[in-house]
Amino acid sequence: LAFKQESLRCSSARNRGGVQRVEGKLRASVEKGDYYEAHQMYRTLFFRYMSQAKHAEARELMYNGALLFFSYNQQNSAADLSMLVLEVLEKSETKVEDDILESLAKLFGQMDQNSPERVAFVSRALKWSTGGSGKLGHPKLHQLLAVTLWKEQNYSESRYHFLHSSDGEGCAQMLVEYSASRGFRSEVDMFVAQAVLQFLCLKNKNSASVVFSTYTEKHPSIEKGPPFVQPLLNFIWFLLLAVDGGKLTVFTVLCEQYQPSLKRDPMYNEYLDRIGQLFFGVPPKQSPSYGGLLGNLLNSLMGSGEDDDGAEEAQEDSSPIELD
């Protein structure tokens, strides 16, 4: 056994040395400006390594190559090698680990912000991060993407990714900056209300609570509370308490009392219908034009059946709730 381990160690060291030698040649090519040639060489090596099942070497070579091309502003070549990094991950069935997610986020951060390649890369990376299933992507990867987009001041995209992460605190800090730089003073309460309601629709009660407490504490235009000057903030505060208690009567009275505030955004009542179903056992609404059995049948066909397994899928595929 000791002999076998030693021989594996030697073989791995040899491979590493081989990769370093090859990388040295490729780097020299790129530094000379032979971008096309170097790119083709990377691709050839990729397929060679993959055919030999040298997945770790292939991934390392493509990752470093992509960063090298990015440093010379060769966006297309870099994006192509970034996609090959994902291909290795998919084909080798590599387990999701934080360092891999961080390397993917680093590649994402180097890509041209408006390139179609970036959109393709992020969608494929998220799919890989949840085992290729239809789910929405690994929360840690969403968090890393959200922080990158926040630095780029792409607040709306950042917000989307924060919602699918578990980082309520980061989300709140980004929303404070978003509200201060792009929002009207009269809307400071709306920025956080929407985030809390959407976190609750995604069944993430903890982040909903953290985003609210952090935002209201850190926003320069919000006076210390609760209670707050803005009725909408008081509503959200009571709602979070009600969600913990799970009493339908409290939820119903709360929604009735605060209707004037809830009318400020037509989506609020849509979110609250969903929250009523998830946390207070409210049955799904019948479609107004189809009652009874037919309404239930149509609901199940359109994916709004409330069996728990289907809840996320229903929301993802055909729920009227938009989480932009």
Side-chain angles (χ1 to χ4, degrees):
L1 186 66
F3 173 74
K4 193 173 180 187
Q5 283 175 334
E6 185 57 36
S7 92
L8 278 172
R9 236 195 328 271
C10 289
S11 147
S12 152
R14 255 201 317 280
N15 285 340
R16 184 73 203 92
V19 171
Q20 280 177 328
R21 274 197 303 282
V22 167
E23 279 191 319
K25 285 182 185 169
L26 289 167
R27 183 174 290 279
S29 241
V30 171
E31 284 167 357
K32 277 199 314 220
D34 296 337
Y35 303 126
Y36 177 78
E37 203 175 295
H39 183 185
Q40 294 313 308
M41 193 62 187
Y42 271 108
R43 289 185 65 84
T44 304
L45 286 163
F46 172 77
F47 294 113
R48 185 180 302 164
Y49 280 149
M50 290 301 278
S51 69
Q52 296 166 355
K54 292 181 175 176
H55 298 133
E57 290 86 350
R59 192 176 91 223
E60 186 183 353
L61 190 62
M62 294 309 106
Y63 175 68
N64 291 336
L67 292 180
L68 180 61
F69 276 121
F70 279 129
S71 71
Y72 282 83
N73 203 26
Q74 297 298 303
Q75 279 284 334
N76 291 344
S77 298
D80 181 55
L81 298 193
S82 300
M83 286 299 206
L84 293 180
V85 170
L86 290 177
E87 193 171 317
V88 186
L89 293 172
E90 291 160 354
K91 290 190 171 161
S92 60
E93 295 178 7
T94 306
K95 283 222 293 273
V96 175
E97 286 169 6
D98 281 3
D99 61 334
I100 296 176
L101 297 178
E102 280 159 17
S103 68
L104 295 179
K106 188 169 183 181
L107 293 174
F108 172 78
Q110 300 274 327
M111 285 181 188
D112 177 357
Q113 293 174 24
N114 302 310
S115 71
E117 289 82 6
R118 194 186 212 200
V119 177
F121 177 81
V122 83
S123 138
R124 196 168 160 187
L126 285 166
K127 193 172 177 185
W128 167 76
S129 74
T130 38
S133 70
K135 292 210 174 77
L136 292 165
H138 195 287
K140 175 70 178 170
L141 183 53
H142 275 297
Q143 192 261 346
L144 293 164
L145 295 170
V147 169
T148 303
L149 290 157
W150 175 13
K151 285 179 189 154
E152 294 171 4
Q153 297 184 333
N154 185 343
Y155 298 114
S156 60
E157 291 278 325
S158 171
R159 191 180 168 289
Y160 168 81
H161 289 290
F162 268 125
L163 277 173
H164 292 97
S165 77
S166 311
D167 184 6
E169 193 173 340
C171 182
Q173 290 172 326
M174 182 278 294
L175 288 173
V176 168
E177 191 180 301
Y178 189 8
S179 150
S181 63
R182 306 271 167 91
F184 296 110
R185 194 185 166 92
S186 59
E187 294 173 342
V188 293
D189 49 353
M190 296 178 82
F191 276 82
V192 74
Q194 188 187 34
V196 169
L197 295 172
Q198 291 180 342
F199 268 129
L200 289 175
C201 286
L202 292 164
K203 299 188 195 171
N204 189 344
K205 197 165 76 170
N206 185 50
S207 295
S209 201
V210 172
V211 80
F212 182 72
S213 57
T214 309
Y215 182 92
T216 51
E217 192 185 302
K218 297 204 183 254
H219 201 296
S221 305
I222 293 175
E223 290 169 35
K224 285 276 174 284
F228 299 95
V229 174
Q230 298 90 338
L232 184 59
L233 293 181
N234 289 325
F235 170 77
I236 295 292
W237 175 51
F238 285 129
L239 175 66
L240 288 166
L241 294 173
V243 161
D244 276 337
K247 288 196 169 64
L248 178 57
T249 45
V250 176
F251 175 68
T252 309
V253 168
L254 194 53
C255 291
E256 282 168 7
Q257 290 296 317
Y258 280 92
Q259 266 312 305
S261 288
L262 298 176
K263 286 195 172 115
R264 289 172 64 195
D265 183 332
M267 284 306 295
Y268 288 165
N269 283 314
E270 297 254 13
Y271 297 140
L272 289 165
D273 284 346
R274 179 83 177 137
I275 290 163
Q277 292 165 34
L278 291 173
F279 295 99
F280 299 96
V282 177
K285 269 192 170 173
Q286 298 279 314
S287 161
S289 45
Y290 301 102
L293 195 59
L294 180 61
N296 285 336
L297 178 65
L298 284 171
N299 276 339
S300 67
L301 285 173
M302 293 190 292
S304 52
E306 278 310 295
D307 53 314
D308 238 8
D309 291 341
E312 280 97 343
E313 282 85 341
Q315 187 171 319
E316 206 180 321
D317 298 337
S318 59
S319 162
I321 293 173
E322 290 294 329
L323 295 182
D324 292 341

